[in-house]
C-alpha cells in the first residue's frame, strides 16, 4: 500500500522513529505525500507514501479516517464512481480511497469482490482494534507481511519490513529465483517475510486468508467481437485519473492495440543502442497518430541501473528489462503519471505457443519435466526446489497438462511480470496500468477452446487480438513477432547470455 501497518503486542520497543524509518524505505513508491497515524497507545501504526493520481488534493491523503476506520491503500479502483452510486455512499471527495473506506464501513469485506482495479490495502477498526487486509485479483500491486503472535507488519516492499525485523536471507528463494526468476509462491528473499496471496483478504481474527475471486469459464464465446468489446472497455476504464496518461510501445502486438485504443498524444519506446524496436514502434505510432519518444540507453547504463535498482528494492531483480522499464518511465513527462502497458495478453491468449502446444499434446508430466521446459537451467537439483515442486504437484492435481499450464501462467508467471512492472515504474514515481489483466478479460479467455485462442495447428497465437489489430489498421504489428523491451546487447545474442550476466550482477549487489 506504499505504506505500513504495524501492530505490536510484544515487549519489544519500536519507537516512532523506527517505524518512520521503515516507511521512509518506501518513499520512492509515493513521493507526493507521507502520512502517519498511531492508535491503541502506540501499539498500532499506519504509514503511507502517496503517489497522487485520483483526487490529488491534500484532503485525500492517507491514512484516511472516519470515526471508526482508517485506511492505507495502494493502487486504483477503476469502478469507484459506479460503486459510490450503486451503494449510495455519501462521500465528501471524488476519491477512490474514500469510496473504499465508506464501502467497507457499509458492507465490510463484501466490498472486495466488487472492486475492479489494482490494490493492496489495510483497513484498521479503531473501535474493535482489528485489521483487515486485501490484495487485488491478479497480484498487480504487491503486499508482504511478517506475523507472529506478538507482532504483525504489512508493507508494499519486503525491504521495508526487513528494516524493522532484520531477517536473514532465504537461500531457498535464491535457488528458486535462479531457475524461475522469482521465489516460490508465498515466499520472499527473506526468512519470516511472506507474500500475501492475490485475490484474497484476511482479518486479524482469521487463521487464513479467504479467496474472494478466481477465474471461471465464461458463458460468452471468445470471438474477435467479444474480445474487442472487453479490451476496449478495459482500456477506457483504466484511463480514470486526474493526471495525464501515456503508453509504453514496443514493436509488437499487445502494446500496439493498447496504444491504438487509448489514443494518447504521445507514446514511449525504449531499447539499447545496439538492440531496439524503434522503427517498428514508429510504424505503429504513425498508424495511431501519436508522437513517439525514443529512449535509448547504453550497456553501461543498463549495468548501472541493475545496481541502483537492486539496492533500491533491497532484493534481486526479477528480469533484466526492469532497467529499461525504469528508464522509459523516468523519461515520461512529469504530468504523465499514468502509463498503460500490454502485460497479460500472452498469459490469457496463449502467447507462449511452444509450451502451450507441448501441454496440449501430452497426457502427463513430472514437475521436473515442466521446470526443465519452463526454467532457465539445463539441470534440476530437486532437493533445493522442494517448495516449487510441491506447488506444481498441488496445482496440477485433477487437471489436464494444458489446464495446469494455463493456471501456472496466470498464477505464477504473470505475477512475476506484474511485480517487475510495478517495481520498475514506481521506482520512477509512475503508475503502470495493465488493461489485459482486468477480471472480465481474464474470465472471457479462461478455459476457452485452444483453437479459438491459437488458431488451427497452433499457428495463430493470440488469435482474437491479432484479428482485432488488423481491424484497427495495425497490420505491421499483427504480423511481427513480439520482442518487447528486451535487454540483450544484440538481437542475435542468445537471451541466456544477457540473462546470466544480469543474474550475476543483481545477485552480487543484493548479497553485499
Amino acid at each position: 500500500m506504499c505504506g505500513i501497518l504495524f501492530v505490536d503486542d510484544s515487549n519489544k520497543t519500536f519507537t516512532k522513529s523506527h517505524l518512520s524509518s521503515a516507511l521512509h524505505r518506501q518513499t520512492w513508491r509515493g513521493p507526493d505525500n507521507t502520512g502517519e497515524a498511531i492508535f491503541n497507545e502506540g501499539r498500532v501504526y499506519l504509514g503511507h507514501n502517496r503517489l497522487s493520481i485520483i483526487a490529488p488534493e491534500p484532503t485525500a491523503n492517507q491514512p484516511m479516517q472516519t470515526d471508526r476506520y482508517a485506511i492505507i491503500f495502494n493502487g486504483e479502483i477503476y469502478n469507484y464512481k459506479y460503486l459510490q452510486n450503486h451503494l449510495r455512499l455519501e462521500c465528501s471527495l471524488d476519491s477512490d480511497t474514500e469510496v473504499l473506506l465508506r464501502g467497507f464501513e457499509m458492507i465490510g469485506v463484501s466490498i472486495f469482490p466488487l472492486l475492479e482495479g489494482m490494490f493492496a490495502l489495510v483497513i484498521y477498526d479503531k473501535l474493535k482494534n482489528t485489521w483487515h487486509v486485501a490484495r487485488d485479483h491478479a497480484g498487480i500491486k504487491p503486499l508482504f507481511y511478517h506475523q507472529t503472535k506478538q507482532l504483525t507488519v504489512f508493507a508494499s516492499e519486503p525491504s521495508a519490513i526487513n528494516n524493522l525485523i532484520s531477517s536473514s536471507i532465504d537461500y531457498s528463494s535464491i535457488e528458486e529465483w535462479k531457475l524461475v526468476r522469482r521465489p516460490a509462491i508465498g515466499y520472499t528473499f527473506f526468512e519470516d517475510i511472506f507474500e500475501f496471496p492475490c485475490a484474497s483478504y484476511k482479518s486479524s481474527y482469521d487463521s487464513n486468508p479467504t479467496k474472494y475471486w478466481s477465474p471461471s469459464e465464461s458463458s460468452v464465446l471468445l470471438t474477435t467481437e467479444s474480445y474487442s468489446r472487453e479490451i476496449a472497455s478495459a482500456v477506457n476504464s483504466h484511463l480514470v485519473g486526474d493526471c495525464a496518461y501515456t503508453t509504453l510501445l514496443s514493436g509488437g502486438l499487445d502494446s500496439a492495440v493498447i496504444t491504438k485504443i487509448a489514443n494518447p498524444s504521445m507514446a514511449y519506446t525504449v531499447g539499447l543502442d545496439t538492440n531496439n524496436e524503434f522503427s517498428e514502434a514508429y510504424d505503429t505510432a504513425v498508424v495511431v497518430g501519436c508522437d513517439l519518444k525514443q529512449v535509448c540507453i547504453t550497456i553501461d547504463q543498463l549495468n548501472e541501473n541493475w545496481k541502483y535498482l537492486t539496492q533500491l528494492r533491497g532484493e534481486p531483480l526479477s528480469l533484466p528489462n526492469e532497467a529499461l522499464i525504469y528508464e522509459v518511465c523516468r523519461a515520461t513527462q512529469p504530468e504523465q503519471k499514468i502509463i498503460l502497458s500490454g502485460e497479460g495478453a500472452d498469459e490469457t491468449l496463449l502467447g507462449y505457443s511452444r509450451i502451450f502446444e507441448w501441454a496440449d499434446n501430452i497426457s502427463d508430466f513430472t514437475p521436473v519435466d515442466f521446470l526443465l521446459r519452463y526454467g532457465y537451467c539445463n539441470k534440476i537439483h530437486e532437493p533445493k526446489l522442494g517448495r516449487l515442486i510441491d506447488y506444481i504437484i498441488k496445482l496440477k492435481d485433477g487437471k489436464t497438462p494444458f489446464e495446469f499450464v494455463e493456471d501456472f501462467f496466470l498464477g505464477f508467471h504473470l505475477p512475476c511480470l506484474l511485480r517487475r512492472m510495478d517495481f520498475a515504474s514506481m521506482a520512477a514515481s509512475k503508475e503502470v496500468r495493465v488493461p489485459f489483466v482486468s477480471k472480465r478479460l481474464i474470465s472471457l479467455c479462461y478455459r476457452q477452446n485452444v483453437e479459438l485462442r491459437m488458431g488451427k495447428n497452433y499457428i495463430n497465437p493470440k488469435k482474437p487480438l491479432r484479428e482485432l489489430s488488423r481491424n484497427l489498421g495495425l497490420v505491421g504489428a499483427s504480423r511481427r513477432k513480439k520482442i518487447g523491451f528486451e535487454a540483450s546487447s544484440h538481437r542475435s545474442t542468445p537471451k541466456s547470455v544477457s540473462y546470466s550476466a544480469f543474474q550475476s550482477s543483481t545477485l552480487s549487489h543484493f548479497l553485499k
Side-chain angles (χ1 to χ4, degrees):
M1 50 247 120
C2 298
I4 292 174
L5 164 71
F6 178 86
V7 182
D8 182 13
D9 291 321
S10 70
N11 294 322
K12 294 182 178 179
T13 301
F14 289 93
T15 66
K16 184 176 181 296
S17 63
H18 288 127
L19 300 168
S20 296
S21 174
L23 182 63
H24 180 73
R25 188 70 176 79
Q26 299 180 125
T27 301
W28 51 271
R29 291 190 62 92
D32 294 336
N33 177 263
T34 295
E36 301 171 283
I38 297 177
F39 308 97
N40 194 20
E41 299 179 343
R43 294 186 180 89
V44 177
Y45 169 93
L46 293 179
H48 186 264
N49 301 306
R50 186 182 185 201
L51 179 65
S52 303
I53 303 290
I54 295 176
E57 56 267 25
T59 49
N61 288 339
Q62 302 178 43
M64 185 180 289
Q65 300 185 50
T66 63
D67 289 342
R68 179 170 176 177
Y69 296 104
I71 186 173
I72 50 176
F73 156 56
N74 171 30
E76 308 295 341
I77 306 303
Y78 305 129
N79 66 336
Y80 78 97
K81 292 185 178 181
Y82 164 79
L83 291 175
Q84 182 177 348
N85 292 329
H86 178 68
L87 298 174
R88 298 181 181 179
L89 303 175
E90 294 185 6
C91 298
S92 60
L93 303 168
D94 184 19
S95 161
D96 56 343
T97 306
E98 186 178 9
V99 168
L100 266 177
L101 190 54
R102 299 291 182 185
F104 185 87
E105 197 170 39
M106 177 178 286
I107 63 174
V109 296
S110 297
I111 191 70
F112 300 136
L114 304 180
L115 303 178
E116 297 288 346
M118 54 182 186
F119 57 88
L121 63 88
V122 168
I123 296 175
Y124 176 64
D125 186 334
K126 294 180 279 186
L127 178 63
K128 294 187 176 181
N129 189 33
T130 56
W131 51 259
H132 314 268
V133 300
R135 191 179 181 200
D136 67 65
H137 64 287
I140 305 170
K141 284 298 175 181
L143 183 58
F144 302 93
Y145 68 96
H146 166 81
Q147 189 168 28
T148 65
K149 290 182 178 180
Q150 291 79 33
L151 186 66
T152 300
V153 190
F154 282 91
S156 296
E157 295 290 333
S159 58
I161 301 176
N162 193 48
N163 186 272
L164 286 170
I165 67 171
S166 300
S167 182
S168 300
I169 293 174
D170 183 348
Y171 286 94
S172 293
S173 289
I174 291 178
E175 292 301 319
E176 293 156 355
W177 167 82
K178 288 178 180 177
L179 177 64
V180 295
R181 304 184 294 195
R182 57 160 295 167
I185 290 288
Y187 294 91
T188 74
F189 291 98
F190 303 99
E191 294 179 355
D192 303 319
I193 301 177
F194 302 97
E195 178 188 26
F196 191 78
C198 60
S200 301
Y201 67 85
K202 185 179 186 294
S203 301
S204 52
Y205 43 78
D206 294 331
S207 299
N208 297 298
T210 297
K211 198 87 168 174
Y212 67 79
W213 182 86
S214 58
S216 58
E217 297 181 52
S218 174
S219 59
V220 178
L221 184 68
L222 177 63
T223 63
T224 302
E225 291 72 25
S226 63
Y227 192 84
S228 299
R229 288 194 298 270
E230 287 299 340
I231 186 58
S233 175
V235 170
N236 289 326
S237 71
H238 281 59
L239 299 180
V240 63
D242 295 313
C243 53
Y245 70 90
T246 185
T247 66
L248 299 182
L249 184 60
S250 70
L253 177 65
D254 310 343
S255 62
V257 170
I258 295 294
T259 301
K260 177 64 175 177
I261 296 173
N263 193 28
S265 59
M266 177 179 288
Y268 291 78
T269 189
V270 64
L272 298 172
D273 51 0
T274 55
N275 181 14
N276 57 70
E277 294 182 276
F278 292 164
S279 62
E280 295 91 337
Y282 177 77
D283 290 344
T284 297
V286 169
V287 175
V288 173
C290 67
D291 293 331
L292 181 68
K293 170 72 173 180
Q294 298 176 354
V295 180
C296 184
I297 70 173
T298 66
I299 293 295
D300 288 342
Q301 287 175 296
L302 182 74
N303 282 281
E304 283 301 310
N305 281 355
W306 286 344
K307 177 181 179 180
Y308 169 73
L309 292 173
T310 301
Q311 293 171 342
L312 184 69
R313 183 162 157 176
E315 59 183 17
L317 307 181
S318 302
L319 294 161
N321 59 13
E322 289 185 57
L324 300 185
I325 295 169
Y326 167 71
E327 204 65 52
V328 71
C329 289
R330 278 212 313 161
T332 61
Q333 297 174 6
E335 66 273 16
Q336 293 171 329
K337 290 186 176 182
I338 299 171
I339 304 173
L340 270 60
S341 172
E343 234 71 34
D346 287 310
E347 289 72 24
T348 55
L349 286 177
L350 317 183
Y352 305 100
S353 54
R354 289 183 181 178
I355 197 164
F356 280 108
E357 181 179 350
W358 166 77
D360 200 37
N361 286 282
I362 60 174
S363 58
D364 198 10
F365 64 93
T366 68
V368 171
D369 290 337
F370 176 74
L371 288 173
L372 284 171
R373 186 168 294 270
Y374 173 79
Y376 276 72
C377 297
N378 295 323
K379 295 181 180 180
I380 301 293
H381 189 56
E382 291 188 54
K384 294 183 178 181
L385 299 170
R387 300 187 311 203
L388 269 179
I389 290 172
D390 288 345
Y391 171 78
I392 292 171
I393 291 171
K394 183 177 180 180
L395 187 64
K396 76 188 287 280
D397 184 43
K399 299 172 184 173
T400 67
F402 189 90
E403 290 170 342
F404 159 80
V405 172
E406 182 174 19
D407 288 351
F408 181 89
F409 270 90
L410 285 175
F412 187 96
H413 182 88
L414 179 59
C416 179
L417 300 185
L418 296 173
R419 170 67 169 147
R420 165 205 66 171
M421 184 61 72
D422 174 81
F423 167 72
S425 59
M426 294 296 281
S429 299
K430 298 298 170 78
E431 179 180 89
V432 167
R433 299 178 178 181
V434 282
F436 283 118
V437 188
S438 69
K439 286 195 288 188
R440 289 179 58 173
L441 206 52
I442 291 174
S443 292
L444 175 63
C445 300
Y446 188 67
R447 294 292 193 261
Q448 291 271 8
N449 183 277
V450 175
E451 190 172 312
L452 294 177
R453 291 186 276 178
M454 299 184 72
K456 291 183 178 180
N457 301 317
Y458 318 103
I459 62 172
N460 194 13
K462 298 189 285 190
K463 178 184 175 184
L465 187 61
R466 207 168 296 278
E467 291 176 349
L468 169 59
S469 70
R470 287 194 287 267
N471 293 343
L472 294 173
L474 300 165
V475 178
S478 71
R479 293 174 177 171
R480 283 192 292 268
K481 181 180 178 182
K482 179 177 177 179
I483 299 174
F485 299 125
E486 189 180 320
S488 298
S489 56
H490 297 277
R491 290 195 186 184
S492 59
T493 301
K495 286 187 178 182
S496 59
V497 174
S498 66
Y499 188 72
S500 175
F502 156 74
Q503 279 207 328
S504 177
S505 173
T506 189
L507 184 59
S508 66
H509 295 310
F510 170 62
L511 294 177
K512 281 183 179 178

